[in-house]
Amino acid sequence: MGKPLCTVLFLLLFVNCCFSWKKDEFRNCNQTPFCKRARSRKPGACSLIATDVSVSDGDLVAKLISKENNQENSENQGKPIKPLVIRISAYQDGVMRVKIDEDQSLGPRKKRFEVPDVIVPEFLEKKLWLQRLKEEKNEDGSGILSFVYLSDGFEGVIRHDPFEVFVRESGKKGKKVLSLNSNGLFDFEQLRDKKEENEDWEERFRSHTDTRPYGPQSISFDVSFYDADFVYGIPEHATSLALKPTKGPGVEDSEPYRLFNLDVFEYIHDSPFGLYGTVPFMISHGKSRGSSGFFWLNAAEMQIDVLGPGWNDEFSSVLMLPSDQKRVDTLWMSEAGVVDAFFFVGPGPKDVVKQYTSVTGAPALPQLFAIAYHQCRWNYRDEEDVFSVDAKFDEHDIPYDVLWLDIEHTDGKRYFTWDKMLFPNPQEMQMKLAAKGRHMVTIVDPHIKRDDSYFIHKEASQKGYYVKDATGKDFDGWCWPGSSSYLDMVNPEIRSWWADKFSYDNYVGSTPSLYIWNDMNEPSVFNGPEVSMPRDALHYGNVEHRELHNAYGYYFHMATADGLVKRGDGKDRPFVLSRAFFPGSQRYGAVWTGDNSAEWDHLRVSVPMILTLGLTGISFSGADVGGFFGNPDTELLVRWYQLGAYYPFFRAHAHHDTKRREPWLFGERNTEVIKEAIHVRYMLLPYFYTLFREANASGVPVARPLWMEFPADEKTFNNDEAFMVGNSLLVQGIYTQRAKHVSVYLPGDQSWYDMKTGTAYKGGATHKLEVSDDSIPAFQRAGTIIPRKDRFRRSSTQMENDPYTLVIALNSSKAAEGELYVDDGKSFQFQKGAYIHRRFTFSNGKLTSSNLAPATAALSKFTSDCTVERIILLGLSPEPKTASVEPGNEKVDIELGPLVLREGKGQSVLTIRKPNVRISDDWTIKVL
Ligand code: NOJ
């Protein structure tokens, strides 16, 4: 096809699908048969009872049969319900797993899909081998219960009739923590043979028809969270952090939260509509008990209702729900798969996140450069453009670490190639940037141009590596390159083949400083149903696309990250940004919140979106700074930089139709203010990196809702305007134009110190603060120590040997503590112990640095000659004049100095200058 015709076609398609959110292009619950059916069921409708309860292979197993077994049952399209098998397993640290599937011994039509490759092998080793099953009869009329030990203080229980599964605090009167089917909404549609023609065997939406060769196969059930005030999680939606009820009294006509990975252009904020990624994990929190969590490992389309108080009032007489416990009820509906559910007992919010990431894996530790500032745009036109942008950063003294190239850098959207006119010397280009310690990222999408002269397509089609359509032919859909096919990444052989494509030999023009961006991996198919792949497309193992849709992008991300590891001989940590995600994505890299808009509301919603991702394991995330679509006015752009500097992933990006918006294009004053925002991020890199390591070790996210740090403070429970970076910093965004004041709630009973001025504010109070254009409010919590690097360079790499500043914010007992984690910022040697991990403690006028790394001999060592050049003391009086450093008993001066270098204003603060102790050593500094 000639170029002009291509362009016209492209524009037609693009205009059609990109410039506004077309609600009608996407299904709502009423247009989604399984959702409509499940939502209309009445509480108590489930007629299943548990029989044959026993312990087998260390698990509690039972059969679920219909009370009126073998009778015609309208719930299953008039088919007799065959018994289901339920298996309950206990794992260390308070995790209970519940699997429900068809009974394999009764020869179901086929094995239903269970998502492989998500649960980490270490988790399976934590299984507790259950030995004993106890039984009790409940006096409240709820019949016989069988229960097993789950963890100290908790039991896993199955009620026989009607069937219900729950976790309770140990003992007959133990309070419930979490339960499944307490409202009797459980339903499991079994696979069927096609005997008669009716609408069950296909599904229509707009001009698309998907066949359903096994009939409807959905599963739905209710889950209740006890002593909970709010529930959170289940990304990805552009909505509030605390999930609003979607059904119940006072809720007008809301859709459920949809979890279906979709390429939604110009998505709207404040909507339960499903976006690019999915994590079916919900966490509850309440003042009286704390947190608990529920995760359903299932990759089919899911819809989840949060049921508002009173939603089941008319049925309360038939349901046996405890009246002395507050509860949040939810309804979970999925199109296919099995029940493979995990209950997490908490009780703290951090415990739940740790329990969840013990199942799906902790976030990978990124390279240091990847947590610095990224400059992106669709597109940097050519090499000259790249060099000019790069030079301008230096000219304006603004650091950045990564320059990104979008789809236009390729030869006709054939990934792994370069447009030879625009990028004739890609290696030299990368090397030029690398000389300044900078990196590049190129985009590699999953749609492969169907062009016989394109090496990837040639091999993939010859080897049969593409997803098939329902007739068994290579699926052919439309995306950026035109007619495209999609690699079947679910197959490990194909993933390994793909991974090899990232070797320097195969990816001609790539160098070690080049990393990767995976986009459109929902997968996006411009002419497919709901801009995606038909549900009856076929994958490896004869799995229907409907069964694994939400995991497609995850597998693509995984294969790409594996490719970068292979490329570097296992020595270089990968960096891959992905738009689609699924549980476990945190092990492979970062995600971003897709195509947001340059609007204040989108700036605002970026915070709950990022916090939600962090709660569900995906700690490394960010939103396009500036907003992808549209042109932000200068004020919005500035505010976005100021907030984005605290996102775990900090990248500016823009659509190709927008005006250029590099930081220096808005006049001297604004350049200065944006520069300051970026500098804040660079200054805090040691703190951020320490937090990324904490996430890597424990799953606890870098950006946290306030209630994660202040779980007993109700005022924080639905605050999603402010957030914590680690446990020491609170950031409040400014989300309105021309704001003169902002109200900030500072939790806890200790003070907070303004990061810029050092002014102390009382905790446990809302403060109305004056704001100016030069920064957004950020506070250091009293009782913490934050490590910083205050000298500004061109990139994070160039800061490697720079000395540290420690900022000590004292609490009312004149004490504080903090941590610093350092390694080579690049390799996997940290896994062998090659790192420095220090604890800094200030008490009784003494600052002590002690080792936090385990005492066991490390297989590999990391050393650093970096020293501490400044120690800032906030909240110390009377003001001391000198300090002595041990060992050596050397005296150093304490002076007044700036809190932030380069600021040139604000209060002077007590500063111990040049103590020159090494960060790798043990030492004590005593204030005299
Ligand atoms: C969609 C992505 O979300 C966006 O960030 C990117 O610029 C375009 N695709 C073009 O690759």
Side-chain angles (χ1 to χ4, degrees):
M1 202 184 310
K3 241 193 165 158
L5 184 55
C6 262
T7 316
V8 170
L9 259 177
F10 163 81
L11 281 175
L12 273 176
L13 268 163
F14 195 68
V15 167
N16 191 26
C17 61
C18 304
F19 287 125
S20 62
W21 186 50
K22 295 221 167 69
K23 205 173 167 193
D24 296 346
E25 274 202 17
F26 302 100
R27 308 208 293 196
N28 60 30
C29 178
N30 270 334
Q31 294 160 324
T32 308
F34 78 88
C35 185
K36 190 175 174 188
R37 278 198 301 280
R39 238 192 170 193
S40 64
R41 274 165 70 85
K42 301 265 178 297
C46 172
S47 69
L48 294 175
I49 57 171
T51 65
D52 302 355
V53 185
S54 67
V55 166
S56 158
D57 287 340
D59 295 331
L60 187 162
V61 288
K63 285 201 165 129
L64 299 180
I65 60 165
S66 170
K67 212 166 180 175
E68 314 89 38
N69 204 15
N70 288 335
Q71 286 173 16
E72 293 289 297
N73 185 310
S74 61
E75 295 297 340
N76 199 32
Q77 280 77 33
K79 294 290 299 170
I81 297 180
K82 290 190 198 154
L84 299 170
V85 174
I86 177 166
R87 180 172 282 275
I88 301 179
S89 327
Y91 292 82
Q92 279 165 29
D93 309 323
V95 181
M96 182 169 93
R97 182 177 189 181
V98 177
K99 291 186 81 171
I100 305 177
D101 195 359
E102 297 185 42
D103 186 342
Q104 299 309 306
S105 68
L106 300 176
R109 269 209 67 197
K110 74 161 194 171
K111 178 101 188 63
R112 298 170 74 113
F113 182 62
E114 293 182 38
V115 196
D117 311 305
V118 168
I119 300 174
V120 292
E122 308 86 78
F123 173 73
L124 298 175
E125 285 160 21
K126 292 187 180 168
K127 185 174 139 151
L128 304 176
W129 214 254
L130 300 175
Q131 309 280 350
R132 280 196 318 142
L133 179 69
K134 292 192 213 157
E135 231 172 55
E136 77 192 19
K137 188 156 171 27
N138 248 6
E139 288 111 40
D140 66 1
S142 62
I144 300 197
L145 308 178
S146 298
F147 60 98
V148 289
Y149 168 87
L150 176 59
S151 68
D152 281 352
F154 298 98
E155 288 165 342
V157 187
I158 181 164
R159 182 180 68 192
H160 296 202
D161 181 8
F163 127 77
E164 179 195 15
V165 177
F166 57 94
V167 170
R168 70 174 182 198
E169 289 170 0
S170 300
K172 200 164 184 172
K173 298 219 155 40
K175 287 187 157 190
K176 279 187 170 176
V177 178
L178 272 171
S179 67
L180 185 148
N181 203 33
S182 307
N183 286 289
L185 289 173
F186 183 89
D187 187 33
F188 195 115
E189 294 175 329
Q190 302 186 357
L191 305 184
R192 286 188 287 143
D193 289 319
K194 186 170 176 177
K195 290 215 176 101
E196 73 277 10
E197 291 296 331
N198 59 28
E199 77 285 0
D200 283 350
W201 307 99
E202 61 182 36
E203 216 167 34
R204 293 203 189 132
F205 178 64
R206 289 166 61 102
S207 57
H208 299 277
T209 303
D210 271 327
T211 56
R212 287 203 296 200
Y214 303 95
Q217 46 179 300
S218 76
I219 301 173
S220 49
F221 49 79
D222 54 283
V223 175
S224 303
F225 298 83
Y226 295 81
D227 295 314
D229 298 331
F230 291 100
V231 286
Y232 311 83
I234 57 166
E236 183 174 40
H237 308 97
T239 189
S240 55
L241 177 67
L243 297 170
K244 294 175 205 130
T246 50
K247 208 177 157 190
V251 183
E252 301 304 326
D253 200 24
S254 168
E255 285 292 305
Y257 292 96
R258 186 175 190 200
L259 285 89
F260 192 60
N261 295 1
L262 286 177
D263 180 1
V264 187
F265 292 96
E266 292 208 332
Y267 61 76
I268 49 168
H269 76 101
D270 201 16
S271 161
F273 192 84
L275 299 179
Y276 313 91
T278 286
V279 184
F281 167 49
M282 192 179 265
I283 168 165
S284 77
H285 189 67
K287 190 173 164 64
S288 59
R289 176 179 185 274
S291 291
S292 63
F294 179 82
F295 166 46
W296 185 3
L297 177 53
N298 183 304
E301 173 174 1
M302 212 179 272
Q303 301 262 5
I304 301 173
D305 265 319
V306 173
L307 304 163
W311 73 278
N312 59 355
D313 275 357
E314 0 159 9
F315 300 90
S316 53
S317 58
V318 289
L319 303 168
M320 285 166 284
L321 289 157
S323 52
D324 58 336
Q325 279 184 276
K326 204 170 174 182
R327 228 179 45 241
V328 177
D329 291 333
T330 55
L331 171 63
W332 298 59
M333 307 162 258
S334 169
E335 187 186 358
V338 298
V339 178
D340 190 1
F342 297 78
F343 294 58
F344 307 110
V345 302
K350 289 184 188 170
D351 298 321
V352 177
V353 176
K354 281 182 197 166
Q355 285 152 1
Y356 167 75
T357 52
S358 78
V359 178
T360 59
L365 179 61
Q367 292 202 30
L368 180 62
F369 83 81
I371 68 165
Y373 173 63
H374 299 250
Q375 182 66 39
C376 186
R377 162 164 197 94
W378 180 11
N379 218 88
Y380 286 117
R381 282 185 310 269
D382 49 24
E383 287 178 6
E384 208 186 308
D385 198 7
V386 166
F387 294 137
S388 127
V389 170
D390 179 68
K392 286 269 189 224
F393 272 98
D394 294 340
E395 202 178 292
H396 292 280
D397 199 14
I398 305 176
Y400 88 97
D401 268 64
V402 193
L403 199 98
W404 292 53
L405 296 179
D406 208 321
I407 47 177
E408 316 301 333
H409 82 277
T410 59
D411 171 14
K413 321 293 181 305
R414 293 171 188 85
Y415 305 106
F416 303 101
T417 69
W418 303 84
D419 182 316
K420 293 217 170 53
M421 298 292 284
L422 305 175
F423 295 91
N425 301 302
Q427 288 186 324
E428 279 103 280
M429 173 179 69
Q430 291 156 52
M431 273 144 58
K432 215 164 151 186
L433 264 56
K436 298 179 187 173
R438 290 177 177 150
H439 300 76
M440 292 197 82
V441 164
T442 51
I443 197 164
V444 174
D445 289 355
H447 45 257
I448 305 298
K449 186 174 172 71
R450 293 190 60 82
D451 164 5
D452 291 338
S453 62
Y454 177 31
F455 69 105
I456 300 271
H457 173 65
K458 220 155 100 186
E459 264 184 70
S461 52
Q462 274 163 11
K463 289 175 182 283
Y465 279 177
Y466 286 132
V467 178
K468 305 285 179 281
D469 65 20
T471 70
K473 291 207 302 280
D474 285 350
F475 170 71
D476 183 346
W478 197 266
C479 207
W480 299 130
S483 162
S484 307
S485 285
Y486 293 72
L487 291 159
D488 190 4
M489 290 302 183
V490 186
N491 181 342
E493 178 188 318
I494 303 175
R495 289 205 296 277
S496 165
W497 169 84
W498 178 255
D500 288 336
K501 297 290 168 261
F502 291 90
S503 73
Y504 299 117
D505 287 347
N506 283 332
Y507 190 174
V508 176
S510 67
T511 70
S513 64
L514 185 76
Y515 293 86
I516 301 297
W517 175 13
N518 284 167
D519 186 19
M520 316 297 277
N521 50 340
E522 295 72 31
S524 174
V525 181
F526 293 161
N527 58 344
E530 302 192 86
V531 201
S532 195
M533 198 172 265
R535 288 164 199 244
D536 57 5
L538 290 170
H539 292 263
Y540 173 63
N542 217 20
V543 177
E544 291 179 276
H545 187 68
R546 77 179 80 246
E547 297 176 280
L548 60 72
H549 172 85
N550 286 339
Y552 182 83
Y554 165 72
Y555 279 109
F556 185 62
H557 194 191
M558 177 194 292
T560 305
D562 287 350
L564 292 191
V565 176
K566 263 193 186 173
R567 170 189 89 165
D569 285 335
K571 294 193 183 115
D572 190 56
R573 287 179 233 160
F575 171 74
V576 184
L577 178 76
S578 171
R579 193 169 69 174
F581 56 83
F582 192 64
S585 289
Q586 66 268 19
R587 309 203 299 271
Y588 300 106
V591 309
W592 92 108
T593 61
D595 298 345
N596 58 1
S597 301
E599 291 165 20
W600 288 91
D601 285 333
H602 278 250
L603 172 68
R604 164 90 181 73
V605 84
S606 70
V607 171
M609 290 178 83
I610 289 166
L611 294 178
T612 300
L613 284 165
L615 282 176
T616 57
I618 303 179
S619 187
F620 195 11
S621 76
D624 285 348
V625 168
F628 178 71
F629 288 115
N631 295 304
D633 62 29
T634 309
E635 188 184 356
L636 175 58
L637 183 68
V638 166
R639 290 298 188 211
W640 216 315
Y641 267 102
Q642 290 168 341
L643 186 73
Y646 297 99
Y647 291 164
F649 174 61
F650 180 25
R651 182 187 75 155
H653 183 39
H655 188 274
H656 59 60
D657 276 348
T658 60
K659 294 189 200 130
R660 292 292 284 242
R661 48 165 110 134
E662 285 71 33
W664 47 86
L665 294 173
F666 302 88
E668 220 175 293
R669 163 84 189 142
N670 292 307
T671 307
E672 205 46 42
V673 180
I674 294 176
K675 176 158 77 178
E676 281 312 323
I678 299 177
H679 276 157
V680 166
R681 174 55 165 244
Y682 277 80
M683 187 172 82
L684 290 171
L685 280 178
Y687 178 59
F688 268 94
Y689 196 61
T690 302
L691 294 174
F692 272 96
R693 170 59 172 164
E694 184 186 345
N696 168 251
S698 70
V700 175
V702 171
R704 307 170 185 171
L706 300 185
W707 53 266
M708 190 167 237
E709 289 299 329
F710 299 91
D713 185 342
E714 276 172 294
K715 289 210 187 83
T716 64
F717 293 179
N718 62 1
N719 181 338
D720 56 13
E721 295 207 339
F723 60 100
M724 297 292 298
V725 176
N727 71 352
S728 312
L729 260 187
L730 182 147
V731 179
Q732 167 76 48
I734 294 181
Y735 309 110
T736 50
Q737 218 168 10
R738 290 185 283 280
K740 294 271 173 290
H741 294 96
V742 67
S743 287
V744 190
Y745 177 65
L746 297 174
D749 50 13
Q750 295 288 337
S751 311
W752 294 81
Y753 294 90
D754 184 305
M755 254 199 33
K756 227 173 134 175
T757 63
T759 310
Y761 291 89
K762 230 169 93 49
T766 301
H767 300 269
K768 188 171 176 200
L769 304 174
E770 261 181 40
V771 289
S772 63
D773 67 344
D774 57 8
S775 64
I776 57 170
F779 303 88
Q780 183 173 347
R781 177 180 181 176
T784 64
I785 300 178
I786 291 185
R788 300 194 322 213
K789 281 196 176 185
D790 289 1
R791 301 188 185 185
F792 300 114
R793 310 280 184 192
R794 291 178 170 188
S795 63
S796 70
T797 324
Q798 296 196 344
M799 293 163 73
E800 191 181 339
N801 299 316
D802 282 353
Y804 289 84
T805 293
L806 299 180
V807 185
I808 305 183
L810 296 172
N811 62 16
S812 52
S813 327
K814 301 289 169 229
E817 58 178 33
E819 288 181 22
L820 172 67
Y821 172 84
V822 192
D823 62 17
D824 65 12
K826 213 175 152 43
S827 78
F828 289 100
Q829 288 301 309
F830 73 98
Q831 291 172 341
K832 298 192 176 135
Y835 59 82
I836 294 170
H837 194 182
R838 309 298 302 180
R839 179 190 295 286
F840 304 117
T841 325
F842 190 97
S843 67
N844 300 322
K846 262 198 324 203
L847 172 67
T848 309
S849 169
S850 54
N851 185 27
L852 258 186
T856 48
L859 297 171
S860 177
K861 253 190 142 24
F862 172 75
T863 52
S864 165
D865 288 330
C866 286
T867 57
V868 176
E869 66 170 347
R870 300 196 311 145
I871 297 172
I872 291 168
L873 292 155
L874 300 174
L876 192 64
S877 60
E879 297 182 354
K881 293 276 177 284
T882 40
S884 80
V885 181
E886 292 292 348
N889 192 20
E890 245 179 74
K891 297 274 180 301
V892 285
D893 290 341
I894 303 184
E895 302 167 356
L896 285 181
L899 174 54
V900 180
L901 295 180
R902 300 176 65 106
E903 264 316 312
K905 49 185 145 133
Q907 260 157 263
S908 287
V909 287
L910 276 190
T911 309
I912 303 179
R913 293 213 40 239
K914 297 208 185 317
N916 290 341
V917 283
R918 282 157 45 105
I919 51 128
S920 53
D921 294 343
D922 289 347
W923 42 258
T924 299
I925 297 175
K926 191 166 178 0
V927 168
L928 300 173

